[in-house]
Amino acid sequence: MSAAAHGHTPAAWTGVTIAFIGFTVSGVAMIIPNVLLVVVGLVIVVAAGVVGKAMSMAGMGKQPSPHFAPAAAPAAEERTPVSAA
């Protein structure tokens, strides 16, 4: 799995960092009974997904591997009947 560079991109690191901050805010807000701050933390977590996906779509995510060619559709071959002669 490490050869695939799973998650080693700026988009992944940014998304995880923002989500970590959101979970931390929500966790602290649960200790201090503050419902509004819990909701703010959860909004930050959702924003982390949006930011990570936007960065990935902008080219900062995992790039296609140059080692594998895309799977091509098999060419349609013309079939000829076989004679029994």
Side-chain angles (χ1 to χ4, degrees), residues 41-66:
L42 295 177
V43 168
I44 292 171
V45 171
V46 171
V50 173
V51 168
K53 184 64 178 174
M55 286 180 69
S56 180
M57 291 173 64
M60 295 182 204
K62 185 172 185 258
Q63 301 300 320
S65 175

Side-chain angles (χ1 to χ4, degrees), residues 1 3 6 9 13 17-18 21 33 35-36 48 55 57-58 66 74 79:
M1 172 116 45
H6 178 75
T9 63
W13 280 101
T17 302
I18 294 172
I21 292 168
V35 177
L36 180 62
M55 286 180 69
M57 291 173 64
R79 296 182 144 196

Side-chain angles (χ1 to χ4, degrees), residues 13-83:
W13 280 101
T14 303
V16 168
T17 302
I18 294 172
F20 179 75
I21 292 168
F23 282 121
T24 303
V25 168
S26 290
V28 169
M30 287 182 190
I31 295 171
I32 307 167
N34 189 342
V35 177
L36 180 62
L37 202 55
V38 171
V39 173
V40 168
L42 295 177
V43 168
I44 292 171
V45 171
V46 171
V50 173
V51 168
K53 184 64 178 174
M55 286 180 69
S56 180
M57 291 173 64
M60 295 182 204
K62 185 172 185 258
Q63 301 300 320
S65 175
H67 302 293
F68 298 103
E77 296 178 12
E78 185 176 322
R79 296 182 144 196
T80 57
V82 177
S83 63

